Amino acid sequence: MALDVNAIVDQLKESSILELNDLVKAIEEEFGVSAAAPVAAEGAAGADAAAEKDSFTVELSEIGQEKVKVIKAVREITGLGLKDAKGLVDNAPSALKEDVAKDEAEEMKAKLEEVGAVVNLK
């Protein structure tokens, strides 16, 4: 029985992340293999990964002129209530979120800078 590789690749492109995760688990169980990277290969790549920071603390340094807009943005980012978000903004500089992935931290920073706040990633 020949595999239609192009058809399989097309199906994978249309699959959701959850479906692909289930597929990997099923393959691991059926064939007794692991999708984890070998330790030796990871060791070489690990040196590069260690040099680049992968988690950040998003710190609100200054609120700027649009305090109300900054409070709204902080509420959106943190999921806090109005009183708690206002407290963070009033006590700037303050950490909004800790141990955040780089992409998420950059997105938060952009949202806050858009409304005039000054944000640092530590």
Side-chain angles (χ1 to χ4, degrees), residues 31-85:
F31 299 106
V33 295
S34 175
V39 175
E42 189 176 306
D48 294 336
E52 184 176 332
K53 192 172 180 179
D54 61 351
S55 66
F56 295 86
T57 297
V58 180
E59 180 185 79
L60 177 65
S61 299
E62 297 177 26
I63 59 172
Q65 300 295 320
E66 300 289 336
K67 182 177 178 179
V68 173
K69 290 181 181 179
V70 173
I71 292 171
K72 287 180 181 180
V74 168
R75 285 187 68 199
E76 179 183 332
I77 289 169
T78 62
L80 294 173
L82 179 60
K83 183 177 179 181
D84 294 330

